[in-house]
């Protein structure tokens, strides 16, 4: 038995089998809904309206024809970050397959939230253009652990299939935008965290989510692109930079390559904040990396009015003459609050005495009738910020480095680019004493992938970075839990 499902806001119809959930039908209809908990019914982000009633799409089984209102137009307006550190390198691509006169190269950064493709000229290394999309895997879970669990329960091919399709579409779209064809691409270098890496390559994810949390493969992968259904030149090669350990993957190797942390004269801290915070501390004498589960709060999940940094999101909150003011992306009515807004709001609440340093918020704070932050939201923020702060402290302890000895704090990634460092320090996510040493290095992971595609000795260097970087597994570190609990509160006084 099948039923007709009309998605009114997206102007899309779908013929659904009886027994599918509305969320299944949205996915099957290609609507890419948000399902941060992977359809477990716990995140509340998949709510839709059917017959005037608000229900969870993942918990609603189709048993009749339905008209579904999702409140979305189907367009994705998320801000996507493409710039990096701007490091200049020599064009030295080595031998390229295919013998083309004007070959193309590509670099792909598979983030948990966004996928970015860069197209490079294989004759002189110029960047021709870039394209990006939200990672379609987010409909199977916002964080990497829910996606790995989904793959374990339902088969990895669903998740690998959708990300490979997106990479193919992006390569084609980007190449054609510049009057070229994807068949002219002869080399792709890819980066992503270990989970993105495993799901793309359809490797088992069980060892990643169960102790001792080790990737099935850490070595760099070199294969024919056609072997993983990536449609470029028939002889085109596909290279994944190596993973370091745990969830610290080739994206971190890319960040190190772009930022040259491994050659730094002074102690440097690199923090890539996403659903997982990847943190590296060290200098040219050695580096240690760890990964800390910040969870998807910074991307809007688990926050009642949370959303990604797209149109309608409160992205900036500030105090003006003692009053709380905010800025909305697109300058329209606020529809929710994104990660950078959340950080700012907490910093303002602390400063204005609306919230105390334990995180107690006596009453829900309303920005508008519809957009607010409540006690539970603040608790989620505390968990997320404590994960980052505790990761930094653990690395410092492990490397016997005082925070004050760190000369440079580089923040990579989209969230790091948009957050206000003053707020990050005020809420104790980043050490306040490093406030003046913080710089944003943009999408350094994607930049590292481009560097490796363009210069063969840089690529070889990236392979050594895996061996040179020590991995610290925080889940097995006996002191971590205490540090984490200690970091849950907010600093007593705002600094910075
Ligand atoms: Fe439905 Fe999370 S509650 S996807």
């Amino acid at each position: 038995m099948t039923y007709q499902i009309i998605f009114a806001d997206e102007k899309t119809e779908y013929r659904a089998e009886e027994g599918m959930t509305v969320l299944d039908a949205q996915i099957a209809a290609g609507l890419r809904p948000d399902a941060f908990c992977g359809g477990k019914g716990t995140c509340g982000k998949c709510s839709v309206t059917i017959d005037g009633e608000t229900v969870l799409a993942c918990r609603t089984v189709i048993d009749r024809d339905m008209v579904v209102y999702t409140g979305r137009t189907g367009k994705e307006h998320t801000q996507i970050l493409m710039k990096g550190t701007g490091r200049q390198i020599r064009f030295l691509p080595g031998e390229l397959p295919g013998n083309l006169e004007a070959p193309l190269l590509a670099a792909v950064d598979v983030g948990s939230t966004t996928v970015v493709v860069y197209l490079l000229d294989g004759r002189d290394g110029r960047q021709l253009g870039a394209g990006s999309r939200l990672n379609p895997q987010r409909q199977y879970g916002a964080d990497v652990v829910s996606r790995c669990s989904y793959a374990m329960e339902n088969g990895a091919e669903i998740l690998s299939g959708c990300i490979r399709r997106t990479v193919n579409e992006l390569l084609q779209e980007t190449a054609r935008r510049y009057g070229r064809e994807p068949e002219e691409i002869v080399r792709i270098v890819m980066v992503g965290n270990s989970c993105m890496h495993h799901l793309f390559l359809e490797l088992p994810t069980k060892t990643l989510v169960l102790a001792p949390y080790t990737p099935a493969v850490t070595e760099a992968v070199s294969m024919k692109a056609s072997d993983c259904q990536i449609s470029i030149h028939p002889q085109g090669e596909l290279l994944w930079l190596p993973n370091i350990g745990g969830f610290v993957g080739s994206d971190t190797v890319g960040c190190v390559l772009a930022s040259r942390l491994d050659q730094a004269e002074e102690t440097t801290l690199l923090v890539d904040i996403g659903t997982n915070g990847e943190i590296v501390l060290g200098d040219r004498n050695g580096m240690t990396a760890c990964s800390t589960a910040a969870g998807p709060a910074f991307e809007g999940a688990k926050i009642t009015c949370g959303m990604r940094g797209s149109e309608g999101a409160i992205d900036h909150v500030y105090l003006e003459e003692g009053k709380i003011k905010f800025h909305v992306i697109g300058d329209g009515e606020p529809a929710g609050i994104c990660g950078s807004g959340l950080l700012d709001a907490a910093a303002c609440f602390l400063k204005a005495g609306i919230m105390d340093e334990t995180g107690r918020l006596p009453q829900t704070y309303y920005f508008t009738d519809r957009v607010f932050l409540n006690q539970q939201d603040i608790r989620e923020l505390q968990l997320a910020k404590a994960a980052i702060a505790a990761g930094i402290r653990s690395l410092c302890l492990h490397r016997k480095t005082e925070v004050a000895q760190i000369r440079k704090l580089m923040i990579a990634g989209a969230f790091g680019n948009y957050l206000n460092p003053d707020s990050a320090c005020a809420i104790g996510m980043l050490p306040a004493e490093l406030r003046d040493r913080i710089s944003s290095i943009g999408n350094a992971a994607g930049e590292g992938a481009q560097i490796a595609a363009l210069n063969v000795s840089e690529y070889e260097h990236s392979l050594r970075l895996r061996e040179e970087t020590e991995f610290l597994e925080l889940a097995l570190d006996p002191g971590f839990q205490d540090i984490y609990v200690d970091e849950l509160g907010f600093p007593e006084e705002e600094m910075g």
Side-chain angles (χ1 to χ4, degrees), residues 95-114:
E95 202 182 321
L96 292 172
N99 256 331
L100 298 187
E101 243 173 62
L104 294 172
L105 313 176
V108 181
D109 172 24
V110 185
S112 316
T113 308
T114 49

Side-chain angles (χ1 to χ4, degrees), residues 23 34-46 56-59:
L23 180 70
D34 280 333
F36 287 149
C37 69
K40 293 198 169 64
T42 53
C43 72
K45 293 291 171 189
C46 66
L56 293 179
C58 69
R59 301 281 107 176

Side-chain angles (χ1 to χ4, degrees), residues 244-277:
I244 293 176
F247 284 115
V248 184
S250 46
D251 49 353
T252 303
V253 171
C255 285
V256 173
L257 199 60
S259 65
R260 311 186 88 172
L261 198 162
D262 61 310
Q263 288 159 45
E265 307 251 335
E266 297 179 308
T267 310
T268 303
L269 181 66
L270 180 126
V271 187
D272 189 350
I273 309 166
T275 48
N276 262 335

Side-chain angles (χ1 to χ4, degrees), residues 81-390:
L81 177 69
M82 302 222 190
K83 72 169 176 60
T85 66
R87 185 184 157 197
Q88 299 293 321
I89 55 137
R90 230 153 53 89
F91 179 57
L92 199 72
E95 202 182 321
L96 292 172
N99 256 331
L100 298 187
E101 243 173 62
L104 294 172
L105 313 176
V108 181
D109 172 24
V110 185
S112 316
T113 308
T114 49
V115 186
V116 187
V117 158
Y118 301 88
L119 194 67
L120 310 161
D121 192 319
R123 291 171 303 183
D124 54 15
R126 255 179 330 128
Q127 191 191 100
L128 298 174
S132 65
R133 282 234 185 126
L134 290 170
N135 186 333
Q137 290 173 338
R138 75 188 198 284
Q139 59 200 324
Y140 303 104
D143 61 88
V144 290
V145 176
S146 3
R147 288 186 209 168
C148 287
S149 317
Y150 186 93
M152 280 156 65
E153 282 162 29
N154 304 283
E157 61 284 357
I158 302 175
L159 287 134
S160 63
C162 77
I163 186 64
R164 289 175 185 186
R165 253 192 317 280
T166 294
V167 169
N168 272 329
E169 285 164 10
L170 268 174
L171 289 170
Q172 189 182 76
E173 223 172 77
T174 314
R176 293 207 174 140
R177 200 174 330 125
Y178 297 94
R180 308 292 294 264
E181 286 299 325
E183 288 71 25
E184 295 172 77
I185 302 171
V186 297
R187 173 186 293 163
I188 301 180
V189 174
M190 301 196 62
V191 293
N193 66 48
S194 311
C195 175
M196 295 299 106
H197 167 275
H198 280 40
L199 290 175
F200 181 91
L201 294 169
E202 228 179 290
L203 294 167
T205 48
K206 197 171 162 193
T207 56
L208 270 178
V209 287
L210 301 175
Y213 317 104
T214 45
V217 172
T218 51
E219 299 81 18
V221 170
S222 162
M223 63 199 294
K224 268 179 82 175
S226 56
D227 289 345
C228 53
Q229 291 85 47
I230 293 300
S231 310
I232 55 170
H233 188 279
Q235 288 156 37
E237 60 188 14
L238 186 143
L239 313 170
W240 268 93
L241 297 193
N243 294 320
I244 293 176
F247 284 115
V248 184
S250 46
D251 49 353
T252 303
V253 171
C255 285
V256 173
L257 199 60
S259 65
R260 311 186 88 172
L261 198 162
D262 61 310
Q263 288 159 45
E265 307 251 335
E266 297 179 308
T267 310
T268 303
L269 181 66
L270 180 126
V271 187
D272 189 350
I273 309 166
T275 48
N276 262 335
E278 268 101 34
I279 311 172
V280 189
L281 176 66
D283 55 29
R284 61 179 183 175
N285 298 314
M287 298 173 291
T288 308
C290 72
S291 170
T292 166
F298 297 137
E299 277 152 22
K302 292 197 177 168
I303 304 298
T304 320
C305 299
M307 63 185 285
R308 283 187 305 270
S310 53
E311 199 167 318
I314 294 181
D315 65 336
H316 186 43
V317 181
Y318 53 98
L319 281 173
E320 206 174 81
E321 290 169 6
K323 290 215 167 49
I324 291 195
K325 301 274 165 106
F326 58 84
H327 173 262
V328 179
I329 300 175
D331 295 323
E333 264 298 295
I337 185 161
C338 68
S340 56
L342 179 63
L343 243 61
D344 283 353
C348 289
F349 290 175
L350 276 176
K351 195 166 185 178
I354 295 173
M355 174 175 83
D356 68 20
E357 68 276 5
T358 67
R360 202 175 70 86
L361 186 69
Q363 53 199 25
T364 298
Y365 185 88
Y366 284 86
F367 294 95
T368 66
D369 295 350
R370 287 176 50 210
V371 182
F372 57 83
L373 284 176
N374 62 24
Q375 183 67 76
Q376 186 53 32
D377 299 331
I378 296 295
R379 297 296 179 220
E380 289 293 341
L381 170 67
Q382 287 178 279
L383 297 176
K385 75 102 189 169
I388 304 286

